[in-house]
Amino acid sequence: MEEDHSNPSEVSDKTLDSIAQKKHAAMIERLSNLHQSRLQQAISRKSDSNDSPSFESTKSFLDRFSETKKSIEMEIDRCRRVSESESKSSLKSDLDKVSVSISDLERQVAENSYFLPSYEVRSSLKTISDLKETLESVNYELLPKKKFSFKNKTTKKDQSNVVKNETEIRASDSVLVENCSSIKVRDSPGFHNEEGAVLVKHFGGSKEGDFTLSDLNSCEVRLTGSFRALFIHRLWDCRVYVGPVLGSILIEEVEGCLFMLASHQIRIHHAKETDFYLRVRSRPIIEDCNNVRFAPYLLSYEGIEKDLGDCSLDEETGNWANVDDFRWLRAVQSPNWCILPEEECVNAVNISNLKTPGEVS
Amino acid sequence: MGLLSIIRKIKRKEKEMRILMVGLDNSGKTTIVLRINGEDTSVISPTLGFNIKTINYDKYTLNIWDIGGQKTIRSYWRNYFEQTDGLVWVVDSSDVRRLDDCKMELDNLLKEERLSGATLLILANKQDIQGALTPTEIAKVLNLDAMDKTRHWKIVGCSAYTGEGLLEGFDWLVQDIASRIYVLD
């Protein structure tokens, strides 16, 4: 407006005017820019909220939630009523759609759970699980044949597969089990079902896997070299001398035996009247045992020092005496086990000198 | 507005998950937890009771409950079921004889209503041992395909000894839980 109001007589006034003019224009521009950017922000916010509804207010969320819930329930009802006339295929796709909208609803709850009161979250989740249940039962009601055949088929197929697979896998291992005519389906490499025998095996490399001793009666077992894991199951009146085991040893149901074992972990279940000469890196445990006694490892054979070193078992940790009885969770000494008195310990056993298989005591 | 939005942001960031590790004794649960956490695994005694480890994984905080698996203490497992987001079932793949036990205990666990919403990761451990069953074979023996359709589950072969497969398993577990509980981002 200053332009119209010109004053030709004063030059200095004019220059002043033009400065003010510039300032004014710049301010107008800044203001309009600010307005524009605000508008844009508002628009982008709006489109954001269209993508994924974020309510930030419990009431608006709950309103929307119950609306969606109602429409899902109506849809399920419709499916139920319509089922007699309509073909099965369209029914199935309808039910699938319902299932999708239920999971959409579930996602919405999850996305907004951070501001909802915990009661509302819980009740919404409950509603969703109810909806799922209803859908499941409707599914079952309307398309029962489908479900039945699915169940029947899988269980039948799986059972036959299991048996076949087991025989396949373990058949290759059965070479190790000599003199054993009937190999059970679930035998792992090891000595099984022997009586009065001396069973000897040497493990060569550190790549050796697991080994099992099961159902042995009055046998002597000598395993030299190191391997990964040892399973012992149902042994009576046996003497078992074993080189270092890198992994763990699991013993179940043994009676009247003597064991010399070295390992990372040793678990003993259901043992009776048995002596254990152990070297263990951790605490050995017993469960449901009676009259078991413990002593330090006394085994030797040619090269045992190297094998023990390879398995980090070359140092005596004293853990053979730190037995945990899972059936005796009290501070006082468990009545189920004790330390073997020194005078009753056997002498150090050197199994590299014992060369008489067939000699049974 | 300023303070409120800060509080909301903090609440969003507290992404905690409760993970329950169970399985038969001697399956390697404690070793797995310590291996993930980068701790020494050379001296681990059989677990009498339980261990809790809090691990930051991605942007989530995992509270891992490692529960002892000896028969005597299996009946106490149910004391830990509440609020579980993820269930890790550990199997000793070399222990063929006790797979029946393993299947029975897992079936019992999955009947539990409090665990019905939990994501299930089955770790077929000790794959490094020669002669161990593969994850596919274990899945067949445990009859996993017959599981309830609504359960999210996956079986992964792993070795706590070498560390192989552990990240793959836990990545899946955390992602699956996150997609259920938290915003996918």
Side-chain angles (χ1 to χ4, degrees), chain A residues 89-275:
Chain A
S89 61
S90 75
L91 188 65
K92 189 170 183 304
S93 73
D94 279 354
L95 287 173
D96 282 350
K97 263 183 224 151
V98 173
S99 152
V100 168
S101 52
I102 290 177
S103 35
D104 272 355
L105 191 63
E106 191 174 23
R107 196 174 41 87
Q108 250 177 52
V109 175
E111 279 173 7
N112 292 290
S113 62
Y114 68 96
F115 72 83
L116 288 174
S118 62
Y119 170 76
E120 300 298 355
V121 173
R122 253 183 292 134
S123 67
S124 310
L125 289 177
K126 173 84 173 54
T127 312
I128 285 168
S129 77
D130 285 350
L131 280 176
K132 276 184 180 164
E133 229 167 73
T134 322
L135 179 67
E136 188 77 355
S137 71
V138 170
N139 240 328
Y140 193 79
E141 235 173 74
L142 301 181
L143 305 159
K145 238 182 187 168
K146 177 82 182 150
K147 177 143 188 176
F148 177 70
S149 75
F150 167 76
K151 256 195 166 167
N152 194 21
K153 205 170 101 198
T154 44
T155 47
K156 209 172 149 193
K157 195 184 83 195
D158 278 0
Q159 268 168 3
S160 63
N161 269 356
V162 169
V163 176
K164 209 179 92 201
N165 248 302
E166 293 292 299
T167 33
E168 268 172 18
I169 306 148
R170 290 298 165 177
S172 56
D173 296 324
S174 63
V175 188
L176 289 165
V177 192
E178 284 160 3
N179 308 328
C180 194
S181 52
S182 67
I183 297 147
K184 280 188 292 174
V185 169
R186 298 206 156 181
D187 277 349
S188 40
F191 296 128
H192 310 273
N193 303 303
E194 296 280 351
E195 197 172 338
V198 175
L199 306 162
V200 182
K201 169 139 179 89
H202 178 71
F203 294 90
S206 55
K207 290 262 191 288
E208 299 278 0
D210 61 311
F211 200 76
T212 300
L213 305 174
S214 75
D215 300 285
L216 304 181
N217 192 346
S218 309
C219 291
E220 181 170 320
V221 181
R222 302 171 199 158
L223 307 177
T224 56
S226 69
F227 54 104
R228 293 297 307 280
L230 177 63
F231 298 105
I232 294 172
H233 187 216
R234 290 209 293 260
L235 264 58
W236 291 272
D237 183 33
C238 291
R239 282 156 316 288
V240 179
Y241 306 109
V242 183
V245 177
L246 184 60
S248 63
I249 298 177
L250 184 65
I251 300 167
E252 282 192 348
E253 296 180 61
V254 296
E255 195 173 337
C257 296
L258 183 156
F259 289 95
M260 272 199 196
L261 311 165
S263 179
H264 178 163
Q265 285 188 332
I266 297 177
R267 293 176 172 85
I268 302 162
H269 304 153
H270 299 279
K272 274 188 210 161
E273 280 90 37
T274 293
D275 291 343

Side-chain angles (χ1 to χ4, degrees), chain B residues 29-164:
Chain B
K29 296 175 290 296
T30 309
T31 312
I32 287 175
V33 175
L34 294 189
R35 173 70 66 191
I36 293 176
N37 210 21
E39 288 177 56
D40 178 28
T41 57
S42 63
V43 183
I44 297 173
S45 295
T47 308
L48 215 173
F50 64 92
N51 306 307
I52 312 175
K53 273 267 171 315
T54 302
I55 296 176
N56 288 319
Y57 196 97
D58 249 1
K59 47 192 179 297
Y60 303 102
T61 303
L62 310 189
N63 289 319
I64 302 185
W65 293 66
D66 159 32
I67 317 290
Q70 300 297 327
K71 204 169 199 164
T72 323
I73 55 177
R74 280 180 213 162
S75 53
Y76 299 106
W77 284 354
R78 58 193 153 88
N79 297 345
Y80 303 91
F81 290 166
E82 217 68 59
Q83 306 276 320
T84 297
D85 300 310
L87 187 62
V88 182
W89 181 258
V90 186
V91 183
D92 176 353
S93 310
S94 65
D95 190 355
V96 183
R97 187 178 66 79
R98 294 202 302 168
L99 273 182
D100 285 340
D101 276 1
C102 178
K103 176 171 168 39
M104 189 197 73
E105 295 286 359
L106 177 61
D107 287 348
N108 279 341
L109 205 65
L110 296 182
K111 277 182 214 149
E112 182 58 47
E113 203 179 328
R114 282 172 294 171
L115 295 174
S116 62
T119 302
L120 172 64
L121 170 67
I122 296 148
L123 288 175
N125 193 22
K126 308 200 187 180
Q127 288 295 317
D128 56 295
I129 295 185
Q130 217 179 44
L133 297 187
T134 65
T136 327
E137 285 158 353
I138 300 230
K140 274 179 187 154
V141 177
L142 297 182
N143 202 8
L144 297 180
D145 283 327
M147 210 173 340
D148 185 3
K149 277 190 289 178
T150 56
R151 170 87 60 188
H152 295 204
W153 66 273
K154 185 184 173 82
I155 182 164
V156 175
C158 75
S159 160
Y161 184 63
T162 65
E164 213 184 311

Side-chain angles (χ1 to χ4, degrees), chain A residues 53-68 108 112 115-116:
Chain A
S54 170
F55 307 93
E56 307 256 325
S57 128
T58 312
K59 192 179 171 304
S60 64
F61 171 79
L62 286 179
D63 286 350
R64 174 122 181 196
F65 182 85
S66 65
E67 230 172 74
T68 322
Q108 250 177 52
N112 292 290
F115 72 83
L116 288 174

